PDB file of all heavy atoms in Angstrom:
ATOM      1  N   GLU A 182      43.245-134.222  25.209  1.00  0.00           N
ATOM      2  CA  GLU A 182      42.680-133.483  26.317  1.00  0.00           C
ATOM      3  C   GLU A 182      41.834-132.304  25.814  1.00  0.00           C
ATOM      4  O   GLU A 182      40.835-131.918  26.394  1.00  0.00           O
ATOM      5  CB  GLU A 182      43.883-132.885  27.168  1.00  0.00           C
ATOM      6  CG  GLU A 182      44.619-133.961  27.951  1.00  0.00           C
ATOM      7  CD  GLU A 182      43.685-134.756  28.869  1.00  0.00           C
ATOM      8  OE1 GLU A 182      42.880-134.070  29.514  1.00  0.00           O
ATOM      9  OE2 GLU A 182      43.776-136.010  28.917  1.00  0.00           O
ATOM     10  N   ILE A 183      42.310-131.709  24.715  1.00  0.00           N
ATOM     11  CA  ILE A 183      41.468-130.569  24.119  1.00  0.00           C
ATOM     12  C   ILE A 183      40.128-131.085  23.585  1.00  0.00           C
ATOM     13  O   ILE A 183      39.090-130.480  23.796  1.00  0.00           O
ATOM     14  CB  ILE A 183      42.249-129.861  23.006  1.00  0.00           C
ATOM     15  CG1 ILE A 183      43.588-129.232  23.600  1.00  0.00           C
ATOM     16  CG2 ILE A 183      41.447-128.807  22.371  1.00  0.00           C
ATOM     17  CD1 ILE A 183      44.522-128.771  22.505  1.00  0.00           C
ATOM     18  N   VAL A 184      40.221-132.279  22.965  1.00  0.00           N
ATOM     19  CA  VAL A 184      38.915-132.909  22.493  1.00  0.00           C
ATOM     20  C   VAL A 184      37.927-133.089  23.711  1.00  0.00           C
ATOM     21  O   VAL A 184      36.713-132.791  23.536  1.00  0.00           O
ATOM     22  CB  VAL A 184      39.179-134.255  21.779  1.00  0.00           C
ATOM     23  CG1 VAL A 184      37.910-134.977  21.562  1.00  0.00           C
ATOM     24  CG2 VAL A 184      39.954-133.929  20.459  1.00  0.00           C
ATOM     25  N   LYS A 185      38.502-133.595  24.767  1.00  0.00           N
ATOM     26  CA  LYS A 185      37.604-133.788  25.957  1.00  0.00           C
ATOM     27  C   LYS A 185      36.972-132.521  26.408  1.00  0.00           C
ATOM     28  O   LYS A 185      35.797-132.429  26.767  1.00  0.00           O
ATOM     29  CB  LYS A 185      38.428-134.380  27.118  1.00  0.00           C
ATOM     30  CG  LYS A 185      38.864-135.842  26.855  1.00  0.00           C
ATOM     31  CD  LYS A 185      39.741-136.297  28.089  1.00  0.00           C
ATOM     32  CE  LYS A 185      40.317-137.664  27.882  1.00  0.00           C
ATOM     33  NZ  LYS A 185      41.159-138.155  29.028  1.00  0.00           N
ATOM     34  N   LEU A 186      37.774-131.411  26.452  1.00  0.00           N
ATOM     35  CA  LEU A 186      37.265-130.190  26.891  1.00  0.00           C
ATOM     36  C   LEU A 186      36.195-129.599  25.890  1.00  0.00           C
ATOM     37  O   LEU A 186      35.133-129.128  26.307  1.00  0.00           O
ATOM     38  CB  LEU A 186      38.429-129.127  26.977  1.00  0.00           C
ATOM     39  CG  LEU A 186      38.140-127.969  27.877  1.00  0.00           C
ATOM     40  CD1 LEU A 186      37.947-128.385  29.337  1.00  0.00           C
ATOM     41  CD2 LEU A 186      39.308-126.992  27.844  1.00  0.00           C
ATOM     42  N   VAL A 187      36.486-129.742  24.603  1.00  0.00           N
ATOM     43  CA  VAL A 187      35.507-129.250  23.573  1.00  0.00           C
ATOM     44  C   VAL A 187      34.232-130.032  23.692  1.00  0.00           C
ATOM     45  O   VAL A 187      33.136-129.367  23.544  1.00  0.00           O
ATOM     46  CB  VAL A 187      36.108-129.489  22.148  1.00  0.00           C
ATOM     47  CG1 VAL A 187      35.036-129.278  21.086  1.00  0.00           C
ATOM     48  CG2 VAL A 187      37.264-128.572  21.899  1.00  0.00           C
ATOM     49  N   LYS A 188      34.256-131.311  24.001  1.00  0.00           N
ATOM     50  CA  LYS A 188      32.960-132.086  24.118  1.00  0.00           C
ATOM     51  C   LYS A 188      32.391-132.103  25.497  1.00  0.00           C
ATOM     52  O   LYS A 188      31.351-132.742  25.718  1.00  0.00           O
ATOM     53  CB  LYS A 188      33.375-133.543  23.735  1.00  0.00           C
ATOM     54  CG  LYS A 188      33.743-133.699  22.273  1.00  0.00           C
ATOM     55  CD  LYS A 188      33.986-135.126  21.938  1.00  0.00           C
ATOM     56  CE  LYS A 188      34.242-135.325  20.409  1.00  0.00           C
ATOM     57  NZ  LYS A 188      34.444-136.779  20.036  1.00  0.00           N
ATOM     58  N   SER A 189      33.006-131.414  26.465  1.00  0.00           N
ATOM     59  CA  SER A 189      32.453-131.377  27.795  1.00  0.00           C
ATOM     60  C   SER A 189      31.200-130.462  27.887  1.00  0.00           C
ATOM     61  O   SER A 189      30.966-129.571  27.061  1.00  0.00           O
ATOM     62  CB  SER A 189      33.491-130.831  28.821  1.00  0.00           C
ATOM     63  OG  SER A 189      33.753-129.414  28.554  1.00  0.00           O
ATOM     64  N   ASP A 190      30.386-130.696  28.936  1.00  0.00           N
ATOM     65  CA  ASP A 190      29.203-129.867  29.137  1.00  0.00           C
ATOM     66  C   ASP A 190      29.573-128.438  29.378  1.00  0.00           C
ATOM     67  O   ASP A 190      28.824-127.551  29.014  1.00  0.00           O
ATOM     68  CB  ASP A 190      28.399-130.412  30.280  1.00  0.00           C
ATOM     69  CG  ASP A 190      27.772-131.757  29.949  1.00  0.00           C
ATOM     70  OD1 ASP A 190      27.608-132.093  28.784  1.00  0.00           O
ATOM     71  OD2 ASP A 190      27.390-132.493  30.917  1.00  0.00           O
ATOM     72  N   GLN A 191      30.677-128.232  30.066  1.00  0.00           N
ATOM     73  CA  GLN A 191      31.157-126.915  30.411  1.00  0.00           C
ATOM     74  C   GLN A 191      31.269-125.935  29.185  1.00  0.00           C
ATOM     75  O   GLN A 191      30.994-124.767  29.265  1.00  0.00           O
ATOM     76  CB  GLN A 191      32.470-126.944  31.187  1.00  0.00           C
ATOM     77  CG  GLN A 191      32.937-125.646  31.653  1.00  0.00           C
ATOM     78  CD  GLN A 191      34.233-125.759  32.444  1.00  0.00           C
ATOM     79  OE1 GLN A 191      34.745-126.867  32.636  1.00  0.00           O
ATOM     80  NE2 GLN A 191      34.828-124.651  32.850  1.00  0.00           N
ATOM     81  N   PHE A 192      31.714-126.526  28.065  1.00  0.00           N
ATOM     82  CA  PHE A 192      31.990-125.732  26.863  1.00  0.00           C
ATOM     83  C   PHE A 192      30.951-126.097  25.728  1.00  0.00           C
ATOM     84  O   PHE A 192      31.223-125.871  24.588  1.00  0.00           O
ATOM     85  CB  PHE A 192      33.371-125.979  26.392  1.00  0.00           C
ATOM     86  CG  PHE A 192      34.435-125.306  27.225  1.00  0.00           C
ATOM     87  CD1 PHE A 192      34.973-125.984  28.274  1.00  0.00           C
ATOM     88  CD2 PHE A 192      34.853-123.992  26.969  1.00  0.00           C
ATOM     89  CE1 PHE A 192      35.942-125.341  29.124  1.00  0.00           C
ATOM     90  CE2 PHE A 192      35.727-123.349  27.795  1.00  0.00           C
ATOM     91  CZ  PHE A 192      36.286-124.085  28.864  1.00  0.00           C
ATOM     92  N   ALA A 193      29.825-126.590  26.148  1.00  0.00           N
ATOM     93  CA  ALA A 193      28.801-126.910  25.207  1.00  0.00           C
ATOM     94  C   ALA A 193      28.188-125.610  24.589  1.00  0.00           C
ATOM     95  O   ALA A 193      28.024-124.604  25.282  1.00  0.00           O
ATOM     96  CB  ALA A 193      27.673-127.708  25.852  1.00  0.00           C
TER      97      ALA A 193
END
Side-chain angles (χ1 to χ4, degrees):
E182 292 302 316
I183 297 170
V184 168
K185 289 179 184 177
L186 202 62
V187 169
K188 294 183 176 181
S189 68
D190 292 340
Q191 182 180 357
F192 287 89

